[in-house]
C-alpha cells in the first residue's frame, strides 16, 4: 500500500506553518533532505517531512534570517491541515499523530477507519478538533 508522498517547498511550507522563504532556507541549509523531480522542481519526501515537522513543532529548528516570525497557520472550524507523523495500529483501535505547524495532534480511532482512509506516515491529512475529540480527514 505504501506509495511515496512528496511535497514541493511551497506545500511543505504550508504544512509546517512557515513562509516558503523559510522552508527554502531550511532546505538550502540541508536541515531537510530534498530531491528533484523530472522537471527539476525540488521535492521533499513525505517521511522526511514528517520527521522534520516534529522537530520544527518542538522548536528544534530556528527560523533564522532577519528575525521575521512567520504567523502561525490557522484554519477555520478547528481544522489543522498537516502531515501524518505516526500510525499505531492495534487489533481494533488505532492512534494517529499529525503535526500541523507547531501543533501535534493525536487521534484515537478504529483500525478500520485508519485502513479505510489509507493513512500512512508522510501523507497529508487534516485533524479536526471537536470538543475533546480529534477527527482525521485525508487531505
Amino acid at each position: 500500500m505504501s506509495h511515496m508522498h512528496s511535497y514541493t517547498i511551497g506545500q511543505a511550507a504550508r504544512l509546517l506553518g512557515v513562509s516558503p522563504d523559510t522552508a527554502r532556507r531550511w532546505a538550502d541549509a540541508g536541515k531537510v533532505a530534498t530531491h528533484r523531480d523530472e522537471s527539476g522542481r525540488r521535492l521533499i519526501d513525505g517521511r522526511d517531512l514528517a520527521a522534520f515537522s516534529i522537530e520544527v513543532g518542538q522548536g528544534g529548528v530556528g527560523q533564522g534570517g532577519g528575525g521575521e516570525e512567520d504567523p502561525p497557520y490557522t484554519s477555520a472550524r478547528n481544522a489543522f491541515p498537516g502531515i501524518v507523523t505516526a500510525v499505531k495500529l492495534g487489533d481494533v483501535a488505532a492512534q494517529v499523530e499529525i503535526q500541523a505547524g507547531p501543533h501535534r495532534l493525536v487521534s484515537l480511532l478504529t483500525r478500520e477507519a485508519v485502513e479505510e482512509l489509507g493513512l500512512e506516515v508522510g501523507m497529508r491529512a487534516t485533524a479536526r478538533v471537536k470538543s475533546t475529540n480529534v477527527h482525521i480527514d485525508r487531505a
Side-chain angles (χ1 to χ4, degrees), residues 99-120:
Q99 192 76 34
H103 310 290
R104 175 177 166 263
L105 296 112
V106 179
S107 179
L108 299 176
L109 58 171
T110 65
R111 179 185 181 120
E112 183 181 23
V114 171
E115 289 169 350
E116 279 177 13
L117 288 168
L119 296 175
E120 300 174 358

Side-chain angles (χ1 to χ4, degrees), residues 37-109:
D37 67 6
E38 312 77 54
S39 60
R41 289 184 315 170
R42 277 204 302 189
L43 298 176
I44 300 170
D45 173 67
R47 287 186 175 271
D48 292 337
L49 185 60
F52 184 67
S53 72
I54 293 170
E55 202 182 325
V56 171
Q58 292 170 342
V61 179
Q63 300 277 31
E68 105 269 1
E69 275 297 309
D70 290 298
Y73 181 85
T74 55
S75 170
R77 294 200 189 95
N78 301 326
F80 296 82
I83 186 167
V84 176
T85 56
V87 177
K88 298 173 183 138
L89 296 175
D91 291 341
V92 176
Q95 179 177 313
V96 176
E97 295 182 19
I98 288 184
Q99 192 76 34
H103 310 290
R104 175 177 166 263
L105 296 112
V106 179
S107 179
L108 299 176
L109 58 171

